[in-house]
Amino acid sequence: MASEYCLTDLPEDVLFKIISFASFEDIRALCLVSKRMNEICKRQMRSRQILLNRPKPNWGFASALLQDMESIYANGTCFKHLPNLDRLYISEYWKPDFTNFPYERLQSCLKQLYLNCCYSYFGKTLSKLKSLQTVAFDFSGVLSNKGMPQIFTQVSRHARIENLCIRVSKQIECNIDSLANCENIKSLTIVSTRYSTEYCVSDDQLKKLIARFPNLECLRLMFELSTHYAFDLIDFCEAREFPQTVKEIKQLKFLRCFDLVLLREVCGSDCEEDHESDESDKKPPNSDKNGIKYAFSLFDCENISKFRFGFFDSTTHFSDYCQTNEIDVKYLDTPVQIFNSTNKLWKDFGSNVLGFHQKYHDLIANYYSFDPEVLQANLDYMKNLTTE
Amino acid sequence: MSAIKFETSDGFTIQVERETAVVSKVVKNFLEYHPTDKCTFHLNCVDNATLRKVVEWMRHHKDDAYIETESDESDEERSQDVSIEMDPWDANFLNEDLFFLLDILNAANFMKIKVLFKNCCKKIYLMSKGKSSVEIKRLLKERCDFTDEDLQRIANKYEWMARVN
């Protein structure tokens, strides 16, 4: 006589195995069965590790996937499930086996690849993905004599890659002079996990590094540091290393580089409580206008017709950095939030930053409706600040 | 010919020829380290009806080479197989109601009969395939512990899954 217990009485690993056969549509239905099934379905989805080729990819979902990655058993199984994506993110917590990666199937559709895992796991296979236009690498663990030249060589040989994003958190060890020239790259984003790139890349190295991209049209330098508040920006702008870095870049005089973006992290997800409780102590004294003036004095860069300056949220995922449209909305909206408060700039600054956190997801959801005229008005406003 | 005995949770004893019994990885491993012609395995979580069904499956597959291979695969290798196709005989053999299927699955898991375990998983999945969450809940007699608001939120959150290729 069979016993009559619920399916969810089964051990989690057994349920996980059952769900491993399920299609996404079926997983969606299973998610709604019970809380326990929901958790197991989430685990299953994480293990498949995909971002989907939708017009507006669900980056929130992607971030959620990352929160529990240590527990995921990574073996490359997910690659069999990949639909015909146009973008794919692979987490740094993985050491995936790319043996079964569907290169042939994806070679005509995959346009964007974000590798947060060690590059060596991906091997010398970039060239197999012929439609790639954007690649992003996290160099955290591979800024070595071996890894970096490999990547540069691969990227330089690829016919269609135009956008490259690299994230650095350790000092570059390789000889930058020996790196291949990436003549096809038009847009380069360097994300540093420190105040300035200087910690990871000296000014001299940065200059040499950027010189490997002779046809750059857009350069983005981004600095993330989750333990600092947005208004550290002002101190930051007045600090020595950052201006030095920018000056060095200006001296390069890229003839075609018309778009320079400098983004600074707003604050980490852990900051808000401290910020609220300790706000009065953290206000920088009378440094707002000087900082802003300094930032916008960069507008007169000889060959840079567009200079954009703003903040981003530390909860933003690495792969977002390469999404021009999404970056746009983040930093475009921030001036609206922060600088429209005119006379009480710093008084309202804290609440605006917190408000920015609140609004973040709405912005992403609505970024297509952003009005460029609003942006221009705010940029004009900020420029006026520098001439007061 | 040596025989192995299994004692079920409801007090029955079933005698099984050795070459059939070793389809179970538990039995096989035990006999490798404790060579004997006679021994009894106590299956505290497998009842008589379920064990008879499982033994029928073991007899049918005892000469299949892939049973041996499959059992020796690592979890990693095995988890890469997510095809829902299965041997037609197995598909027919497992045409049972859900609760009996769960008993067979538990027995296969306990006795480490990987192919049977996997096929039970597939069969259970196929029962829910293409069904709505309400239908699945009815099928599984599962109690939903979500509020209506939770359900709406989750449905919205995962709405995109319905459109995945």
Side-chain angles (χ1 to χ4, degrees):
Chain A
M1 185 70 183
S3 56
E4 294 213 354
Y5 49 88
C6 292
L7 182 66
T8 44
D9 288 333
L10 290 172
E12 185 171 322
D13 286 345
V14 176
L15 283 170
F16 186 78
K17 180 69 185 174
I18 292 171
I19 295 171
S20 72
F21 298 107
S23 66
F24 276 101
E25 195 168 353
D26 290 327
I27 289 179
R28 180 173 180 258
L30 287 163
C31 278
L32 297 165
V33 167
S34 65
K35 287 180 179 173
R36 186 165 182 241
M37 286 295 272
N38 184 277
E39 285 304 313
I40 297 166
C41 286
K42 279 198 258 183
R43 193 184 139 202
Q44 175 64 224
M45 287 187 290
R46 284 186 209 115
S47 78
R48 295 187 186 187
Q49 271 299 286
I50 66 168
L51 295 181
L52 301 163
N53 54 339
R54 301 179 305 136
K56 290 159 74 172
N58 187 341
W59 297 111
F61 170 67
S63 301
L65 289 181
L66 294 169
Q67 288 171 4
D68 191 28
M69 281 307 297
E70 288 91 340
S71 64
I72 300 304
Y73 190 59
N75 54 22
T77 306
C78 68
F79 294 140
K80 283 188 179 178
H81 300 282
L82 289 176
N84 291 336
L85 302 166
D86 73 1
R87 70 181 70 182
L88 170 66
Y89 170 85
I90 298 169
S91 163
E92 63 189 308
Y93 295 107
W94 272 34
K95 294 178 179 178
D97 175 2
F98 286 95
T99 311
N100 296 318
F101 195 83
Y103 293 105
E104 282 192 19
R105 187 157 57 80
L106 296 183
Q107 69 171 342
S108 58
C109 58
L110 191 65
K111 296 189 174 74
Q112 299 176 12
L113 174 68
Y114 307 104
L115 276 182
N116 234 9
C117 62
C118 178
Y119 173 77
S120 59
Y121 290 107
F122 198 68
K124 298 175 181 176
T125 45
L126 221 52
S127 57
K128 290 185 186 175
L129 298 166
K130 293 178 178 146
S131 300
L132 274 184
Q133 294 170 356
T134 297
V135 287
F137 295 106
D138 187 339
F139 281 78
S140 304
V142 289
L143 267 183
S144 64
N145 290 327
K146 191 176 173 188
M148 200 154 173
Q150 254 187 9
I151 293 169
F152 271 66
T153 305
Q154 290 267 306
V155 170
S156 68
R157 287 178 184 166
H158 198 290
R160 300 185 70 172
I161 295 176
E162 291 187 349
N163 307 310
L164 175 66
C165 175
I166 57 179
R167 179 174 182 268
V168 291
S169 62
K170 292 179 181 173
Q171 286 184 310
I172 292 180
E173 293 170 5
C174 76
N175 177 7
I176 293 177
D177 289 331
S178 70
L179 298 176
N181 268 6
C182 297
E183 296 180 358
N184 47 329
I185 298 297
K186 292 181 178 167
S187 169
L188 172 66
T189 303
I190 300 176
V191 184
S192 166
T193 55
R194 302 287 171 166
Y195 261 128
S196 72
T197 52
E198 194 160 15
Y199 178 85
C200 312
V201 191
S202 68
D203 282 349
D204 188 47
Q205 279 182 313
L206 183 61
K207 198 161 67 172
K208 285 179 180 173
L209 187 67
I210 295 172
R212 299 290 96 188
F213 303 90
N215 294 315
L216 266 193
E217 292 180 2
C218 176
L219 172 65
R220 296 189 184 93
L221 297 178
M222 306 173 75
F223 310 91
E224 55 174 281
L225 189 65
S226 61
T227 54
H228 286 73
Y229 300 114
F231 42 68
D232 286 342
L233 166 75
I234 301 304
D235 297 329
F236 176 57
C237 282
E238 291 170 345
R240 288 191 187 91
E241 64 268 27
F242 179 60
Q244 185 64 28
T245 303
V246 174
K247 280 175 190 168
E248 291 285 337
I249 294 166
K250 283 169 67 178
Q251 286 167 11
L252 292 173
K253 295 186 178 172
F254 292 105
L255 292 176
R256 298 182 62 201
C257 186
F258 57 84
D259 190 355
L260 174 64
V261 182
L262 296 171
L263 293 185
R264 175 83 171 90
E265 184 171 48
V266 173
C267 65
S269 54
D270 300 334
C271 295
E272 291 185 24
E273 286 181 14
D274 292 344
H275 182 87
E276 281 177 330
S277 62
D278 209 15
E279 190 174 350
S280 58
D281 297 337
K282 302 277 184 184
K283 284 183 183 177
N286 300 321
S287 56
D288 50 346
K289 288 186 179 175
N290 286 337
I292 294 166
K293 275 181 184 175
Y294 179 77
F296 285 90
S297 69
L298 297 170
F299 260 110
D300 59 17
C301 286
E302 188 174 342
N303 298 304
I304 296 173
S305 58
K306 257 200 285 187
F307 170 75
R308 300 183 288 181
F309 186 81
F311 309 96
F312 65 99
D313 185 332
S314 66
T315 56
T316 306
H317 195 265
F318 165 58
S319 55
D320 286 358
Y321 299 157
C322 304
Q323 301 300 309
T324 306
N325 287 337
E326 294 185 26
I327 281 175
D328 280 350
V329 76
K330 282 167 210 154
Y331 72 79
L332 295 184
D333 186 77
T334 307
V336 179
Q337 291 274 309
I338 294 170
F339 295 106
N340 264 355
S341 49
T342 58
N343 295 330
K344 42 180 186 172
L345 187 68
W346 286 107
K347 189 177 176 186
D348 288 346
F349 191 66
S351 58
N352 278 325
V353 171
L354 295 177
F356 176 60
H357 264 278
Q358 291 291 323
K359 284 191 69 179
Y360 174 70
H361 292 291
D362 296 337
L363 286 170
I364 296 299
N366 297 314
Y367 71 80
Y368 287 119
S369 62
F370 186 82
D371 183 1
E373 287 183 10
V374 176
L375 160 70
Q376 194 54 53
N378 281 280
L379 285 178
D380 290 346
Y381 170 75
M382 287 188 284
K383 281 181 77 173
N384 288 337
L385 276 179
T386 67
T387 55
E388 276 180 17
Chain B
M1 181 170 44
S2 64
I4 305 300
K5 287 180 182 173
F6 291 108
E7 197 173 292
T8 64
S9 60
D10 45 358
F12 290 85
T13 300
I14 298 175
Q15 186 166 305
V16 180
E17 57 280 16
R18 186 186 176 100
E19 58 269 31
T20 297
V22 294
V23 170
S24 158
K25 190 81 173 173
V26 170
V27 176
K28 186 177 178 228
N29 286 348
F30 180 84
L31 293 178
E32 273 177 9
Y33 291 101
H34 307 89
T36 177
D37 285 342
K38 291 181 182 177
C39 72
T40 301
F41 289 86
H42 300 280
L43 305 177
N44 295 331
C45 59
V46 182
D47 64 22
N48 182 43
T50 307
L51 182 61
R52 288 186 183 282
K53 185 79 176 172
V54 171
V55 168
E56 184 185 347
W57 188 92
M58 291 160 78
R59 284 206 177 99
H60 181 81
H61 287 289
K62 67 180 190 302
D63 298 323
D64 294 346
Y66 71 87
I67 297 290
E68 183 74 14
T69 314
E70 183 85 13
S71 299
D72 288 340
E73 278 180 352
S74 66
D75 284 346
E76 189 173 308
E77 289 164 328
R78 197 164 42 251
S79 63
Q80 290 186 26
D81 177 12
V82 291
S83 163
I84 55 171
E85 290 179 10
M86 72 172 94
D87 180 305
W89 186 89
D90 279 18
N92 185 52
F93 176 83
L94 293 174
N95 272 340
E96 300 287 352
D97 67 62
L98 174 68
F99 302 107
F100 193 35
L101 211 48
L102 289 171
D103 286 336
I104 299 169
L105 178 142
N106 271 332
N109 196 25
F110 183 74
M111 297 170 74
K112 292 194 187 303
I113 309 171
K114 298 301 178 185
V115 179
L116 179 58
F117 172 76
K118 190 165 71 179
N119 285 343
C120 286
C121 288
K122 288 180 186 178
K123 201 76 183 177
I124 292 169
Y125 161 63
L126 287 170
M127 285 180 168
S128 67
K129 184 175 165 55
K131 289 189 166 56
S132 70
S133 60
V134 175
E135 290 170 321
I136 296 171
K137 264 177 274 192
R138 201 177 299 133
L139 173 79
L140 306 181
K141 297 184 181 174
E142 175 67 6
R143 187 180 64 82
C144 179
D145 46 6
F146 282 124
T147 64
D148 289 344
E149 289 78 20
D150 286 339
L151 287 174
Q152 190 56 50
R153 182 178 51 77
I154 296 166
N156 291 340
K157 185 176 176 184
Y158 296 129
E159 190 270 336
W160 57 269
M161 286 189 188
R163 301 193 306 271
V164 179
N165 300 338

